[in-house]
Every structure is written in structure tokens, then in C-alpha cells.
Amino acid sequence: MDLTGKIAIVTGVSSGIGRATAEALLARGAAVAGWGRKAPEDLDNERFLFFECDVRDEHAVAEAYTNTQRELGLEIHILVNNAGLGIFGPIDGFKSEDWHAMFDTNVNGLFYCTRAVLPQMKKQHAGHLINVASLAATAGTANLAGYCATKYAVRGFSDALFKEVRPDGIRVTCVMPGSVETNFNGAQPGTDPDPYKMQPEDIAAAIIHALEAPDATMISEIQLRPANVKK
């Protein structure tokens, strides 16, 4: 897909992978509707519009979608479901509200956003859905059972969805990064890049790669790991 002039929605746009993806899309000539609870700082581009949206609230998602179409036009070519939440801990001490917060964000929110854009993409017979999961969707990890459960759900949803909408000309890609240097789980990125973690821009580049794949090709899954391993 040539991204020039395309309309993209990116959720969780305030920082990390979401912001890096928005910047990468803008650099390719796309217009970006950024959805999030907080606007990204210092992202000044005439083709970027921010819409306040908590993806856990299906009515907020519907409103953000309506506002996006009003400002950028009816056609929506790309949705990057990036908004995510990770809370870690042993299951026997896990709070129910934390469990629900993760599922409401990582799974239900992704469903609400996907459901919103699909009718228009089907009408266009074109579109690309990017679902940001995690390597936690491929193997369980102690003290990450809740988070892994949500990301397994995202991967399963993505796999089923691509088979459902491929006849409609819509592509689905599940992106599964390993360790990325972001504010995830309350961590603060260091002043210097961590050589044992990927950067948000690395994941954004993989997303762009999937979006720009030849017309005859759909990249259904991408797994990414840091190249450097601690000895």
C-alpha cells in the first residue's frame, strides 16, 4: 500500500509504540487520527489530529470514530490497535479490578475499535488492521498470566479475523514485540537506549513494512526480538 494520502487511526498515541507509529505514518504521507486519553506532546503536524478516547468505553470509541470521519473524511484505510496495559503479579494475589482493566483495554477496546472501522473498510473493499500484541501471546511467563491471557486473546482474534475479512479485501496483521524500551508497566526509559531492548521506532518500522507489503502479499504475523542478548 502506498501510504501517501491514506487515513490512519492509531490508538494509544500519547507515547511509546503508538507515538512512534503515528510519526512513521506521517513521514510516509498519511494523515493520522491519534486516539488516546492524553495527547502526545510536541507532535505538530498539519496531518495529525488528536481525539480524546478511552478505548475501554465503546461509546467513546463510537464518538471518536464519528469525529475522525467528520474531520478527515469517510474513508479509513488503516487502524493500528496499539492501546495496551500490562499489570504483573501472581494470580493468587491479583486484584480483580486489575484483571478487568487489562481485558477492558487490551481485548475489549481492540474489539470496539475494530468493529467501528470494519463496515467502512468493507464498503471500500480495502483496509489494513494492525493489532499490537506481544511475545507474551506465544508463551506463558510466571507472574504475567493475566497479561499473557489478554495477548493470547489478541493473537487468536487476529488469526480468526484475517480469515473472516480477507474476502473483503481487508488485511490483518498481528505484531508481537518482545522487550521494548517504553513506559510499559511503569518503567521509565533511560537517557541512553538500552542495548538489550528494542526501541518504539523499531516496532513502528515493522508496522510500516507490513502496511507497504505488495498487493499480492499479506503479512499476517510479525514476531520481533532484541538482537542483543545479555550474557
Side-chain angles (χ1 to χ4, degrees):
M1 180 194 299
D2 180 1
L3 302 183
T4 304
K6 300 301 183 185
I7 308 300
I9 296 170
V10 180
T11 70
V13 76
S14 63
S15 62
I17 294 170
R19 179 185 176 124
T21 301
E23 291 177 337
L25 286 163
L26 292 166
R28 291 299 199 285
V32 177
W35 294 7
R37 289 182 290 175
K38 185 174 69 173
E41 296 180 2
D42 303 322
L43 182 49
D44 297 319
N45 188 299
E46 62 181 8
R47 286 181 281 106
F48 175 78
L49 292 176
F50 175 74
F51 299 90
E52 186 174 349
C53 177
D54 184 343
V55 299
R56 298 174 297 182
D57 182 344
E58 62 180 307
H59 300 294
V61 169
E63 183 178 5
Y65 184 64
T66 298
N67 292 338
T68 295
Q69 288 190 305
R70 185 186 66 242
E71 297 296 329
L72 294 174
L74 292 180
E75 290 200 355
I76 303 294
H77 306 101
I78 299 161
L79 169 64
V80 181
N81 280 310
N82 165 73
L85 176 65
I87 303 171
F88 305 156
I91 284 300
D92 56 356
F94 212 77
K95 296 178 181 178
S96 295
E97 55 264 37
D98 289 342
W99 179 274
H100 289 294
M102 281 198 296
F103 270 89
D104 285 344
T105 304
N106 301 358
V107 183
N108 297 343
L110 180 145
F111 162 66
Y112 298 145
C113 294
T114 301
R115 183 181 61 181
V117 304
L118 274 180
Q120 178 60 37
M121 287 186 174
K122 286 183 176 181
K123 188 180 297 184
Q124 298 163 188
H125 201 70
H128 201 141
L129 303 165
I130 303 284
N131 296 330
V132 179
S134 166
L135 287 181
T138 67
T141 302
N143 296 318
L144 271 71
Y147 180 70
C148 289
T150 67
K151 294 305 184 178
Y152 266 83
V154 171
R155 188 182 187 188
F157 176 81
S158 302
D159 188 45
L161 184 64
F162 103 73
K163 295 165 185 172
E164 178 179 324
V165 300
R166 182 163 52 172
D168 297 296
I170 301 169
R171 304 181 187 194
V172 179
T173 303
C174 185
V175 179
M176 294 173 278
S179 298
V180 183
E181 194 165 23
T182 67
N183 295 91
F184 184 73
N185 197 39
Q188 294 295 325
T191 304
D192 298 317
D194 186 334
Y196 303 109
K197 290 185 177 181
M198 296 174 288
Q199 298 301 308
E201 292 77 13
D202 300 328
I203 314 308
I207 290 172
I208 296 296
H209 172 69
L211 291 170
E212 292 183 334
D215 290 343
T217 303
M218 179 178 66
I219 300 172
S220 57
E221 290 191 344
I222 302 176
Q223 295 187 18
L224 301 107
R225 295 171 172 82
N228 296 322
V229 181
K230 292 181 180 180
K231 296 181 180 179

